[in-house]
Amino acid sequence: APLFYASAGQVNIQVPFGLTGSTARVVLTSGGTRSNEVTVPLAATSPGVFSYADAGSPQRGIIVHSDFTLVTPQNPARPGETVIVYLTGLGELKPAVSAGAGNPASPLATAVDRRVQALFGGEAATSAPFVGGAPFFAGLNQINVVIPSNVPSGDIPVAITTRNAFADLVDIAIRP
């Protein structure tokens, strides 16, 4: 598995595409010393929206406007606006991207799972012009999605669903 980051308390790896079964065994090796073996669940998709904490939300989504400025309570999104949600775990992409390699910019790598859906306050977005790999980044996905026009103002929960998974909720600030 490609290793992206390691510290005393955290290791970031990318699960290679193409693994099969319902579980995978993970063992880390550092300086010739092996860790305990851990068995983890394995699924075709497992979306997770990147987030940060602020005074208004412990799970504010990493979501940007089309000009790539961060959506915040001071710079909120609007109903009907197209935003970009950054996440991981959309699974296999087409054209195929090797684990650890950056996503291509041309042609864009789209998610093979055609049932990816974004929910804003429980309202399903009806338009997602792009669902796939964020160009040039390894393991980073993005969803360009239009916020439903009937979403109320406030800190609204956002969830991502796929054919086999439901993402944890994050918040997005929306104002008319």
Side-chain angles (χ1 to χ4, degrees), residues 78-112:
R78 308 220 180 294
E81 176 183 353
T82 299
V83 294
I84 303 167
V85 179
Y86 288 105
L87 69 161
T88 190
L90 290 182
E92 186 179 0
L93 302 174
K94 185 176 182 179
V97 179
S98 300
N103 295 311
S106 181
L108 292 171
T110 58
V112 171

Side-chain angles (χ1 to χ4, degrees), residues 20-175:
T20 59
S22 59
T23 62
R25 295 186 325 239
V26 178
V27 177
L28 303 176
T29 304
S30 177
T33 303
R34 291 173 49 99
S35 71
N36 294 336
E37 184 176 290
V38 178
T39 300
V40 297
L42 187 63
T45 65
S46 184
V49 178
F50 289 99
S51 65
Y52 67 98
D54 66 12
S57 172
Q59 292 281 101
R60 179 101 35 217
I62 304 292
I63 302 171
V64 299
H65 299 278
S66 59
D67 66 1
F68 297 103
T69 59
L70 189 63
V71 173
T72 66
Q74 299 76 27
N75 187 22
R78 308 220 180 294
E81 176 183 353
T82 299
V83 294
I84 303 167
V85 179
Y86 288 105
L87 69 161
T88 190
L90 290 182
E92 186 179 0
L93 302 174
K94 185 176 182 179
V97 179
S98 300
N103 295 311
S106 181
L108 292 171
T110 58
V112 171
D113 184 346
R114 305 313 291 168
R115 294 189 219 158
V116 176
Q117 187 171 48
L119 304 168
F120 292 83
E123 294 292 327
T126 58
S127 178
F130 177 71
V131 178
F136 308 111
F137 291 93
L140 180 63
N141 300 140
Q142 74 180 59
I143 300 174
N144 299 14
V145 62
V146 179
I147 298 171
S149 59
N150 59 341
V151 171
S153 292
D155 284 343
I156 304 300
V158 178
I160 307 298
T161 65
T162 64
R163 71 176 179 262
N164 69 295
F166 182 88
D168 294 335
L169 299 175
V170 296
D171 292 326
I172 184 173
I174 297 182
R175 307 287 183 271

